[in-house]
C-alpha cells in the first residue's frame, strides 16, 4: 500500500462518516438500544475500515460494511462483558443482522426515531438539542460546546448524562404514539430548525466544502415528519420556513464571496420551485386557523420575499404576534429591525438600547445596531458596532460584508 493509497482510504472513511454518520448511528441504536455502545462500535468499525480497506480496497457498499462490522464489534462487547443481562435471543438476532449483507439502499433510515428519543421530555431542553446535534448532525463535542458557549468538559458531561438517563429511564427508541405528539413536536421542530441554522450560518461555500449538507438534512427530516403526521400546521409551517429560506441559497453570495442582503439579491437566482412549494404549504397551514410560531416565521419569510419589495408593516405585525409565542430578546431584536425598515427608526434604536445588556454576545444584535446607527447618521458609533459584529461573524462571507459596510462609514 502506498502513502497515497492510505490517504485516499482515510479521506473516504472521513467523508463517509461526515455524510452518513447520523443514518448509521441511528440504525445501530435501533438495534442495540444503547447510545454509547452504538457510538463506540461505529468508531471501532471506522478504525477497522482504515486497515481493511487499505488492504482489500473500498467495498461496493461502504455503509453496509461499516454497519455489519459495527454490529460485530458490539456483539463482541456484549458477549465478553455479559452486559445488562441481554437475552440470548436478542444476541442471536443481532448476530443474524451482523451476518446479513447490507447495501446503502437497504439500511433503513431511523433518524426520525432517534430525534424523538433525543427530544424526550425526561431530558432538559439543552440536553435534547445537544444530543441531537451530536447524534444526528454529527457535530463534535467541541463544536456543540462552542455553539452553547460552554466549556468542552461541561458539554461532554452533559452528553454523557443524557445518554445515561435514556438508558436508565428505559426511554423507548420509537416515534411516540399520537397522544404524545403535542408534547414532543415543538422540541423536535426546534431541533430540526437548529440543524438547518447550523448549516445555514456557516454559509454555502463552507457547507459545500464540508461534505455535510445540514440544510438538506433538516429539510429531509421535516419532510419525514410531514409524512408521519400530515395536515399538521406547525410541521407545514416549519417545512415552508426551511424551503423559503433555502430557496435563496444561490443568491446569498456575490462573485466576490461577500454576503448579499436579501433586499439586494438577484431574484432571478431564487429557486422558484421551492418558493412555490413553501408558499403553498404556509397558505394551507394558515387556512387551518391554528397559528403557531413556525407558521408565523414562515409567513415572515414569505413577506420578506414579497414582490417588488418586503412588506415591512406586515412583518412588524407578524413579529408582534410571534412575541405571544416566543417572548424572547431575539424576537424583540428582529421586530426592532422590521420597525426601522418600516420607517420608525427612533423606536427601533430605543428598543435596541434596552436589549444591549442581554444580547452583548449575540452577533446579529451588533450587526443590526451598526446598520441602524449608520442610518441615524451616527457614523462613529456605527463603526464600533460593526467592529464587534465582525469579530463575532459566523462566516468569512458575513465578516466581509460587514467590513465593507463599516468602511463606508465616516470616521
Amino acid at each position: 500500500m502506498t502513502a497515497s493509497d492510505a490517504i485516499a482510504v482515510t479521506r473516504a472513511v472521513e467523508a463517509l462518516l461526515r455524510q452518513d454518520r447520523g443514518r448509521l448511528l441511528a440504525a445501530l441504536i435501533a438495534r442495540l438500544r444503547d447510545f454509547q455502545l452504538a457510538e463506540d462500535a461505529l468508531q471501532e468499525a471506522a478504525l477497522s475500515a482504515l486497515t481493511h480497506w487499505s488492504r482489500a480496497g473500498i467495498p461496493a457498499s461502504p455503509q453496509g460494511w461499516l454497519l455489519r462490522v459495527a454490529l460485530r464489534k458490539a456483539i463482541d462487547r456484549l458477549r465478553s462483558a455479559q452486559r445488562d443481562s441481554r437475552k440470548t435471543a436478542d444476541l442471536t438476532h443481532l448476530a443474524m443482522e451482523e451476518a446479513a449483507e447490507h447495501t446503502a439502499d437497504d439500511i433503513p433510515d431511523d433518524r426520525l426515531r432517534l430525534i424523538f428519543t433525543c427530544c424526550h421530555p425526561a431530558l432538559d431542553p439543552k440536553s435534547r438539542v445537544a444530543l441531537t446535534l451530536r447524534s444526528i448532525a454529527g457535530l463534535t463535542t467541541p463544536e456543540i460546546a462552542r455553539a452553547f458557549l460552554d466549556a468542552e468538559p461541561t458539554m461532554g458531561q452533559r452528553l454523557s448524562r443524557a445518554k445515561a438517563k435514556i438508558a436508565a429511564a428505559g426511554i423507548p427508541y420509537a416515534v411516540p404514539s399520537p397522544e404524545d405528539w403535542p408534547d414532543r413536536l415543538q422540541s423536535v421542530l426546534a431541533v430540526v430548525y437548529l440543524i438547518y441554522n447550523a448549516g445555514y450560518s456557516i454559509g454555502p461555500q463552507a457547507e459545500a466544502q464540508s461534505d455535510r449538507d445540514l440544510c438538506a438534512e433538516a429539510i429531509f427530516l421535516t419532510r419525514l415528519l410531514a409524512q408521519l403526521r400530515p395536515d399538521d400546521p406547525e410541521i407545514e409551517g416549519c417545512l415552508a420556513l426551511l424551503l423559503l429560506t433555502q430557496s435563496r441559497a444561490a443568491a446569498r453570495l456575490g462573485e466576490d464571496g461577500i454576503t448579499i442582503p436579501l433586499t439586494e439579491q438577484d431574484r432571478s437566482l431564487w429557486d422558484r420551485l421551492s418558493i412555490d412549494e413553501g408558499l403553498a404549504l404556509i397558505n394551507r397551514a394558515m387556512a387551518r386557523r391554528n397559528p403557531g410560531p413556525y407558521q408565523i416565521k414562515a409567513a415572515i419569510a414569505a413577506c420578506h420575499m414579497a414582490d417588488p419589495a418586503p412588506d415591512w408593516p406586515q412583518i412588524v405585525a407578524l413579529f408582534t404576534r410571534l412575541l405571544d409565542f416566543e417572548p424572547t430578546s431575539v424576537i424583540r431584536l428582529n421586530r426592532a429591525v422590521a420597525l426601522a425598515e418600516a420607517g420608525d427608526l427612533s423606536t427601533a434604536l430605543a428598543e435596541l438600547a434596552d436589549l444591549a445588556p442581554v444580547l452583548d454576545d449575540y452577533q446579529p444584535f451588533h450587526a443590526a445596531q451598526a446598520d441602524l446607527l449608520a442610518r441615524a447618521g451616527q457614523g462613529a458609533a456605527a463603526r464600533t458596532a460593526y467592529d464587534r459584529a465582525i469579530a463575532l461573524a459566523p462566516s468569512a462571507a458575513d465578516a466581509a460584508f460587514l467590513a465593507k459596510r463599516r468602511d463606508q462609514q465616516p470616521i
Side-chain angles (χ1 to χ4, degrees):
M1 179 183 63
T2 65
S4 61
D5 291 337
I7 292 172
V9 168
T10 300
R11 286 177 175 170
V13 173
E14 290 174 348
L16 184 59
L17 290 179
R18 280 196 299 271
Q19 293 170 345
D20 291 324
R21 183 181 182 280
R23 186 178 171 204
L24 287 167
L25 192 60
L28 284 167
I29 294 173
R31 291 159 173 78
L32 301 170
R33 290 167 287 165
D34 186 321
F35 272 76
Q36 196 58 55
L37 178 60
E39 282 197 10
D40 293 345
L42 183 57
Q43 183 64 28
E44 288 184 25
L47 291 174
S48 294
L50 293 175
T51 304
H52 187 84
W53 296 1
S54 296
R55 289 198 308 265
I58 298 174
S61 175
Q63 297 93 339
W65 190 97
L66 279 177
L67 180 62
R68 188 174 69 254
V69 173
L71 282 169
R72 187 183 307 156
K73 301 285 185 185
I75 291 169
D76 288 346
R77 282 192 177 211
L78 289 169
R79 281 177 173 155
S80 62
Q82 294 183 335
R83 186 172 176 155
D84 64 18
S85 67
R86 185 180 288 275
K87 296 177 182 177
T88 302
D90 289 342
L91 276 172
T92 301
H93 178 72
L94 287 175
M96 292 174 63
E97 284 272 355
E98 177 271 327
E101 290 290 337
H102 297 282
T103 66
D105 290 338
D106 67 18
I107 299 174
D109 197 326
D110 289 302
R111 283 175 289 185
L112 201 56
R113 283 204 284 167
L114 184 54
I115 286 183
F116 273 102
T117 304
C118 294
C119 294
H120 195 278
L123 302 178
D124 67 85
K126 192 171 182 178
S127 293
R128 295 175 205 168
V129 176
L131 191 57
T132 306
L133 290 175
R134 172 77 184 132
S135 303
I136 297 293
L139 268 64
T140 65
T141 301
E143 287 174 331
I144 301 170
R146 283 197 296 274
F148 283 101
L149 303 178
D150 276 351
E152 183 180 334
T154 303
M155 182 52 69
Q157 291 167 4
R158 175 178 291 278
L159 289 166
S160 295
R161 285 196 301 271
K163 294 171 188 172
K165 189 163 190 175
I166 288 174
I171 292 174
Y173 181 76
V175 174
S177 53
E179 62 269 21
D180 293 328
W181 274 72
D183 291 338
R184 307 277 285 280
L185 186 58
Q186 284 299 325
S187 288
V188 171
L189 292 178
V191 168
V192 170
Y193 189 45
L194 279 169
I195 291 173
Y196 180 85
N197 278 334
Y200 189 85
S201 63
I202 64 174
Q205 288 181 332
E207 174 116 325
Q209 292 169 3
S210 74
D211 291 332
R212 190 173 59 189
D213 192 341
L214 296 180
C215 294
E217 182 106 349
I219 291 172
F220 170 78
L221 292 170
T222 313
R223 288 191 187 282
L224 278 183
L225 284 169
Q227 291 170 11
L228 273 175
R229 192 176 172 87
D231 304 328
D232 185 296
E234 275 296 87
I235 296 175
E236 291 173 337
C238 185
L239 183 54
L241 173 61
L242 301 190
L243 288 171
L244 291 173
T245 307
Q246 189 65 13
S247 71
R248 305 192 303 265
R252 287 181 62 195
L253 299 182
E255 293 182 357
D256 53 5
I258 296 178
T259 297
I260 301 176
L262 185 151
T263 53
E264 299 173 17
Q265 291 176 1
D266 180 354
R267 290 180 173 232
S268 68
L269 297 177
W270 290 358
D271 181 352
R272 193 67 239 176
L273 288 177
S274 291
I275 293 172
D276 290 345
E277 184 182 359
L279 292 177
L281 279 165
I282 190 56
N283 288 336
R284 191 160 68 233
M286 298 294 270
R288 302 186 197 286
R289 299 191 177 282
N290 184 17
Y294 286 99
Q295 296 169 71
I296 296 173
K297 290 173 185 175
I300 291 170
C303 287
H304 273 123
M305 301 169 73
D307 190 22
D311 183 347
W312 292 113
Q314 182 66 22
I315 293 171
V316 172
L318 287 166
F319 272 122
T320 302
R321 181 73 176 97
L322 185 57
L323 281 169
D324 294 337
F325 294 94
E326 297 181 6
T328 67
S329 299
V330 171
I331 301 302
R332 285 179 61 193
L333 169 65
N334 289 327
R335 183 178 179 278
V337 171
L339 272 171
E341 295 286 358
D344 194 349
L345 181 57
S346 60
T347 301
L349 281 168
E351 183 77 2
L352 259 60
D354 287 343
L355 293 170
V358 292
L359 293 180
D360 186 55
D361 293 326
Y362 188 58
Q363 191 270 348
F365 168 80
H366 296 283
Q369 187 182 47
D371 181 50
L372 268 56
L373 287 170
R375 295 185 193 202
Q378 301 180 44
R383 289 181 69 90
T384 300
Y386 272 124
D387 285 340
R388 179 74 168 140
I390 292 167
L392 296 171
S395 69
D398 285 354
F401 163 73
L402 293 165
K404 187 176 179 181
R405 288 292 172 93
R406 177 197 59 193
D407 295 342
Q408 293 170 349
Q409 302 306 311
I411 298 176

